[in-house]
Amino acid sequence: MPYFDAASAAPLHPVARQALLASLDEGWADPARLYREGRRARLLLDAAREAAAEAVGCRPDELVFTPSGTRAVHDGLAGALAGRRRTGRHLVVSAVEHSSVLASAAALEAAGGSFTTVPVDRAGRVAPGAYAAALRPDTALAALQSANHEVGTEQPVAEAAEECRAAGVPLLVDAAQSLAWGPVASGWSLLTASAHKWGGPSGVGLLAVRKGTRFAFQGPADERESGRAPGFPDLPAIVAAAASLRAVRQEAAEEGARLRALVERIRERVPALVPDVEVVGDPVRRLPHLVTFSCLYVDGETLLHALDRAGFSVSSGSSCTSSTLAPSHVLQAMGVLSEGNVRVSLPPGTAEEDVERFLDVLPGVVASVRQHLGAPVAPAPAARTASESGLVIDSLGKRCPIPVIELARAIGDVPVGGLVTVLSDDGAARLDIPAWCDMREQEYVGERPAERGTAYVVRRLT
Amino acid sequence: MPYFDAASAAPLHPVARQALLASLDEGWADPARLYREGRRARLLLDAAREAAAEAVGCRPDELVFTPSGTRAVHDGLAGALAGRRRTGRHLVVSAVEHSSVLASAAALEAAGGSFTTVPVDRAGRVAPGAYAAALRPDTALAALQSANHEVGTEQPVAEAAEECRAAGVPLLVDAAQSLAWGPVASGWSLLTASAHKWGGPSGVGLLAVRKGTRFAFQGPADERESGRAPGFPDLPAIVAAAASLRAVRQEAAEEGARLRALVERIRERVPALVPDVEVVGDPVRRLPHLVTFSCLYVDGETLLHALDRAGFSVSSGSSCTSSTLAPSHVLQAMGVLSEGNVRVSLPPGTAEEDVERFLDVLPGVVASVRQHLGAPVAPAPAARTASESGLVIDSLGKRCPIPVIELARAIGDVPVGGLVTVLSDDGAARLDIPAWCDMREQEYVGERPAERGTAYVVRRLT
């Protein structure tokens, strides 16, 4: 059964499994102890640190193991911010960072600091000079992902690092999605990563802090991991993480090229096979294994369930699959369609046949979801009122993608040049109505607050 | 080769290993995802939570999995303190808590809060009424371990909980050392534990927060584990932790009785076999598997190395084995001898023959360490000056146990009733010179600051 959500968690790499099993017997004792079991554990820990540091491109004493990528980000950002508190309490992040980075920025703000969000283009990429423009005299730290976790776009890390260096601001690079494929461009001051993204076990993150970077770990003091990662280290998992990182790197060039071609096939063929699809993310400067597209008139959760029934495990940034009812902040920042969003991220070893089968299955699945969604809407057409300003559609209380479906049904009822206003209280409408206009070559006039929800105004052009 | 340091980390229980291996294939995916791999992971996580909650004696929705016992303590204390910030920022802890609790107390103080340390008796036990006496109107939280990690003494948790309940203060119980042997007495509001102490894998801690306890997780927000433990959960380790907790509990009554008898044998025979030994900790209200004793005129590190060479892995609270050069805060709080300290903690399944062999080997090992330490001191006797106040021994710059050895050598040189003053800048002297006086029935007069270090004054009585 094909699993296409490696960007969430990759299945355990055989080398990770092997190393984990081997170190269960050798790696359970406390590496801080003097007796033989402790010394054996210490040897394993030291060797794992050397291997991981080599893959990261840093010195072993610059790298510590954390319990997860999220903890590496939380503690890395907090420690670097505290280390430069005298400079100020301002943080710069891109708009498409992982939630662990954005949650840290929010926590900084709640504690009296501030942050600036650097925008991205429609491909999800930070513009040259954007970091330089966001840095201030009181900026303590900047953060930029190496590549985006939802759309695969690679960020200009070297350029941003140079802009930060020129301003004397350290840069933290969240390399969670890219570390399997190669080291991060030099110039970073801090780097974080997560082992279960590269086929290592869960329970292991990396935090590297370059010598010379001011860092003050926040939280109760603990002697483990140079005082930067409290708690007893999960040694078997750490050993497995380091061994598998080395293994995936050895396979990276060949496997990356193979997956890149498979993803290219999906990027090209999905829009040809499925009507009204927007493939998002940078087509070239991207992770080899990841592609994301959105389907008009489809709700993400129903689509995921239908694909799951067809045997495919994928994820989605649509609002309809999230407990927060908000579409993915990444898609929002890019200004692209969020409804019917599907992220395909291929684990190493993905068979070409499975991708072909996915391409075979997808058109029918999307069509059936659309049919299913269209059916309940048809007998009860949207409440419409004609007014001097055109047609008004009351989509209040209806969830994505219904407001867009109702807009699409109504647009033919006004003359070319006429207006359609959609009243909606669903957050995804703000993203998806303009995206629909783009795709349909209609004019998105704008939004204004309504008595309830928001009024989105569209002019019929074709 | 006998490993007698289960209180640091127990070897992996066979059930833990089995569960870990089984869940590597089923438990690597993200339990928050909707597809089949995610649903399987969610089922495993839910089942593990139910099993762990049953062993703890709480509802599943009161319990979350953390990356370690230390993180459970750090985050549990911080969250409970923040939840009651309106009441105040005062914390009550016993003097013999684990370092993770004391480091949290220090962090609270550094952030503008305060804490009170409840003393213990010579057995390491908190007195009835001691918590009630320490609680203040602005006390937000109290913490007490279920049993001590260095000397095995069980604490009066039910009594302290009742004292806290009467004052309306929640009590956090650190159950890291005792959870394998049975549930904690009721009355706690928060409970923490660590899987690798009961034979589970490293990488898993427990944090239980009773419904109705105010709790505000500190740090960046994250949806995992009810918002109380950020980061991707280490599911195979969690499954193994829960399964092994259930398994050790089933074996606890029988194995506990067996180990209790072996420990009793060590408690009785070590003082008979080795001269000048103090067995510490409560002889009855104690963990079944743990015993600690200290040997006069012995340095802990040399003793550990000698025992390691003889095939025994034990730990020590002597200052000479710690990077901080301070003797264990637990022994300090108890006011007992710290030099030549040995903690024996037997893992389940410890063979009687191994304990017998330890008792065979120990006297010779201690004697040879004493001989070795005596030798370099003999040719260069301590610098002594006779003064109106008796004999003065200059032990400045000498590490534990040398100051005590020099005192013991010198006491015969003053008449009964005469004074010996030891000048020392070694922290262990403050503990070990009074402890030596107790053991030797000499009078410890007191200490005063000296030009360098501290002057410890002893009167010869016998």
Side-chain angles (χ1 to χ4, degrees):
Chain A
M1 303 275 275
Y3 171 82
F4 287 172
D5 197 23
S8 282
L12 204 61
H13 192 284
V15 166
R17 165 186 283 270
Q18 209 169 20
L20 186 68
L21 295 189
S23 55
L24 285 180
D25 294 323
E26 298 279 308
W28 52 269
D30 185 346
R33 297 289 176 183
L34 303 171
Y35 42 69
R36 62 190 175 281
E37 294 88 351
R39 296 194 302 270
R40 276 205 298 258
R42 164 64 57 185
L43 287 176
L44 288 175
L45 181 57
D46 290 346
R49 197 185 313 281
E50 274 182 40
E54 194 190 336
V56 165
C58 67
R59 290 163 36 170
D61 61 352
E62 293 174 327
L63 183 138
V64 301
F65 296 105
T66 69
S68 64
T70 291
R71 296 265 188 176
V73 166
H74 289 181
D75 292 348
L77 284 170
L81 285 165
R84 300 233 317 149
R85 190 160 289 168
R86 271 192 275 177
T87 300
R89 301 188 65 192
H90 179 247
L91 170 69
V92 173
V93 299
S94 90
V96 295
E97 296 299 313
H98 186 262
S99 57
S100 57
V101 173
L102 298 182
S104 296
L108 172 67
E109 194 175 60
S114 64
F115 68 96
T116 297
T117 304
V118 174
V120 296
D121 61 19
R122 268 188 79 85
R125 192 172 159 96
V126 160
Y131 268 66
L135 298 173
R136 308 191 317 209
D138 66 335
T139 301
L141 181 66
L144 178 62
Q145 62 194 190
S146 55
N148 186 267
H149 51 299
E150 288 192 28
V151 301
T153 300
E154 288 175 347
Q155 300 295 350
V157 167
E159 293 83 341
E162 179 51 31
E163 293 168 27
C164 290
R165 196 203 54 74
V169 173
L171 178 69
L172 182 149
V173 174
D174 169 15
Q177 289 296 337
S178 77
L179 203 61
W181 304 108
V184 170
S186 63
W188 51 268
S189 296
L190 300 101
L191 182 143
T192 59
S194 172
H196 74 105
K197 307 287 191 192
W198 69 64
S202 46
V204 183
L206 305 182
L207 169 61
V209 182
R210 287 266 191 231
K211 287 285 161 206
T213 305
R214 286 180 191 276
F215 192 88
F217 177 79
Q218 298 298 289
D222 188 281
E223 289 179 7
R224 306 272 178 194
E225 293 295 290
S226 311
R228 290 176 180 170
F232 196 88
D234 186 357
L235 202 41
I238 286 170
V239 169
S244 55
L245 179 55
R246 191 194 290 246
V248 297
R249 277 292 186 77
Q250 280 165 354
E251 304 153 1
E254 194 175 338
E255 185 64 10
R258 198 180 70 83
L259 295 183
R260 181 172 288 276
L262 291 177
V263 162
E264 196 52 44
R265 198 181 298 186
I266 299 173
R267 292 187 69 93
E268 278 173 13
R269 287 185 41 205
V270 164
L273 293 166
V274 181
D276 298 324
V277 159
E278 183 175 13
V279 179
V280 299
D282 196 296
V284 178
R285 292 171 298 191
R286 61 169 173 85
L287 292 170
H289 67 305
L290 194 155
V291 53
T292 293
F293 53 86
S294 299
C295 310
L296 261 187
Y297 315 141
V298 168
D299 96 278
E301 181 154 347
T302 306
L303 183 55
L304 291 204
H305 282 307
L307 285 171
D308 178 50
R309 277 193 302 275
F312 295 93
S313 299
V314 299
S315 79
S316 170
S318 296
S319 60
C320 356
T321 57
S322 149
S323 52
T324 61
L325 303 185
S328 141
H329 69 275
V330 172
L331 302 177
Q332 271 184 302
M334 294 164 64
V336 296
L337 186 70
S338 81
E339 65 188 34
N341 182 261
V342 172
R343 177 183 71 181
V344 171
S345 52
L346 307 176
T350 295
E352 184 182 350
E353 307 87 83
D354 286 338
V355 171
E356 279 301 324
R357 203 154 61 75
F358 177 74
L359 292 170
D360 286 347
V361 161
L362 183 71
V365 167
V366 172
S368 98
V369 174
R370 282 176 175 162
Q371 191 180 6
H372 176 78
L373 278 174
V377 181
R384 299 170 182 190
T385 50
S387 74
E388 74 285 1
S389 58
L391 201 61
V392 177
I393 303 174
D394 179 0
S395 293
L396 291 166
K398 296 173 183 166
R399 297 268 314 280
C400 150
I402 304 302
V404 173
I405 290 178
E406 293 187 343
L407 167 63
R409 285 168 172 269
I411 194 85
D413 296 348
V414 300
V416 169
L419 296 180
V420 178
T421 298
V422 182
L423 298 174
S424 172
D425 49 10
D426 182 61
R430 177 160 292 119
L431 199 54
D432 292 340
I433 290 176
W436 177 88
C437 292
D438 264 3
M439 293 173 80
R440 281 288 175 271
E441 299 184 337
Q442 307 293 357
E443 180 189 347
Y444 178 64
V445 178
E447 64 164 84
R448 60 167 191 272
E451 205 175 321
R452 277 180 59 209
T454 303
Y456 300 92
V457 183
V458 174
R459 187 187 313 278
R460 180 175 173 190
L461 295 186
T462 62
Chain B
M1 301 275 276
Y3 171 83
F4 286 174
D5 197 23
S8 281
L12 203 61
H13 191 282
V15 166
R17 166 186 283 270
Q18 210 169 19
L20 186 68
L21 296 190
S23 54
L24 285 179
D25 294 323
E26 298 280 308
W28 52 269
D30 185 344
R33 297 289 176 185
L34 302 171
Y35 43 69
R36 63 190 174 282
E37 293 88 350
R39 295 194 302 269
R40 276 207 297 258
R42 165 64 58 187
L43 286 176
L44 288 176
L45 181 57
D46 289 347
R49 197 183 312 280
E50 273 182 40
E54 193 191 336
V56 164
C58 67
R59 288 163 38 171
D61 62 352
E62 293 175 325
L63 183 137
V64 301
F65 295 105
T66 69
S68 62
T70 292
R71 295 265 188 176
V73 165
H74 288 181
D75 292 347
L77 285 171
L81 285 165
R84 301 232 317 148
R85 189 162 288 168
R86 270 193 275 177
T87 299
R89 301 187 67 193
H90 178 247
L91 171 69
V92 173
V93 299
S94 90
V96 295
E97 296 300 312
H98 186 262
S99 57
S100 57
V101 174
L102 298 181
S104 296
L108 172 68
E109 194 175 61
S114 64
F115 67 96
T116 297
T117 303
V118 174
V120 295
D121 61 20
R122 269 188 78 84
R125 192 172 160 95
V126 159
Y131 268 66
L135 298 174
R136 309 191 317 208
D138 66 337
T139 302
L141 181 66
L144 177 61
Q145 62 195 189
S146 55
N148 186 266
H149 50 299
E150 288 193 28
V151 300
T153 300
E154 288 175 347
Q155 300 295 352
V157 166
E159 293 83 341
E162 178 51 31
E163 293 168 27
C164 290
R165 195 203 56 74
V169 173
L171 178 70
L172 181 149
V173 175
D174 169 13
Q177 289 297 335
S178 77
L179 203 62
W181 305 109
V184 169
S186 63
W188 52 268
S189 297
L190 301 102
L191 182 143
T192 59
S194 171
H196 75 105
K197 305 288 191 194
W198 71 63
S202 45
V204 183
L206 305 182
L207 169 61
V209 182
R210 287 266 190 230
K211 286 288 161 206
T213 305
R214 286 181 192 279
F215 192 89
F217 178 78
Q218 297 299 288
D222 188 280
E223 289 179 6
R224 305 273 178 192
E225 293 295 292
S226 313
R228 292 177 178 170
F232 196 89
D234 186 356
L235 201 42
I238 286 170
V239 170
S244 55
L245 180 55
R246 192 193 288 246
V248 297
R249 277 293 186 76
Q250 281 164 355
E251 304 153 0
E254 194 175 338
E255 185 62 10
R258 199 180 69 83
L259 294 183
R260 181 173 287 277
L262 291 178
V263 161
E264 195 52 44
R265 199 181 297 187
I266 298 174
R267 292 188 68 95
E268 278 174 11
R269 284 183 45 202
V270 164
L273 293 166
V274 181
D276 297 324
V277 160
E278 182 174 11
V279 179
V280 299
D282 197 296
V284 178
R285 293 171 296 193
R286 60 170 173 84
L287 293 169
H289 67 306
L290 194 156
V291 53
T292 293
F293 53 86
S294 299
C295 310
L296 261 187
Y297 314 141
V298 167
D299 97 278
E301 181 154 349
T302 307
L303 183 55
L304 291 205
H305 281 307
L307 285 170
D308 178 49
R309 278 193 302 274
F312 295 94
S313 299
V314 299
S315 78
S316 170
S318 297
S319 61
C320 357
T321 57
S322 149
S323 53
T324 62
L325 303 184
S328 138
H329 67 275
V330 173
L331 303 178
Q332 272 185 302
M334 294 165 65
V336 296
L337 186 71
S338 81
E339 64 188 35
N341 182 261
V342 172
R343 176 182 74 181
V344 172
S345 51
L346 307 176
T350 296
E352 184 181 351
E353 308 85 83
D354 286 339
V355 171
E356 278 301 322
R357 204 156 60 74
F358 177 75
L359 291 170
D360 285 348
V361 161
L362 183 71
V365 167
V366 172
S368 98
V369 174
R370 282 175 174 163
Q371 192 181 8
H372 176 79
L373 277 174
V377 182
R384 299 170 181 189
T385 50
S387 73
E388 73 286 358
S389 57
L391 200 62
V392 177
I393 303 172
D394 180 0
S395 292
L396 291 166
K398 295 173 185 167
R399 297 267 316 281
C400 149
I402 304 301
V404 174
I405 290 178
E406 293 187 344
L407 167 61
R409 284 166 173 270
I411 194 86
D413 295 348
V414 300
V416 169
L419 296 179
V420 177
T421 299
V422 182
L423 298 175
S424 172
D425 49 10
D426 183 61
R430 177 160 292 121
L431 198 54
D432 291 339
I433 290 176
W436 178 88
C437 291
D438 263 2
M439 295 172 79
R440 280 288 176 271
E441 300 184 334
Q442 309 292 357
E443 180 190 346
Y444 179 63
V445 178
E447 64 164 83
R448 60 166 191 274
E451 206 175 321
R452 279 181 58 210
T454 303
Y456 299 93
V457 183
V458 174
R459 187 187 313 278
R460 179 175 173 191
L461 296 187
T462 62

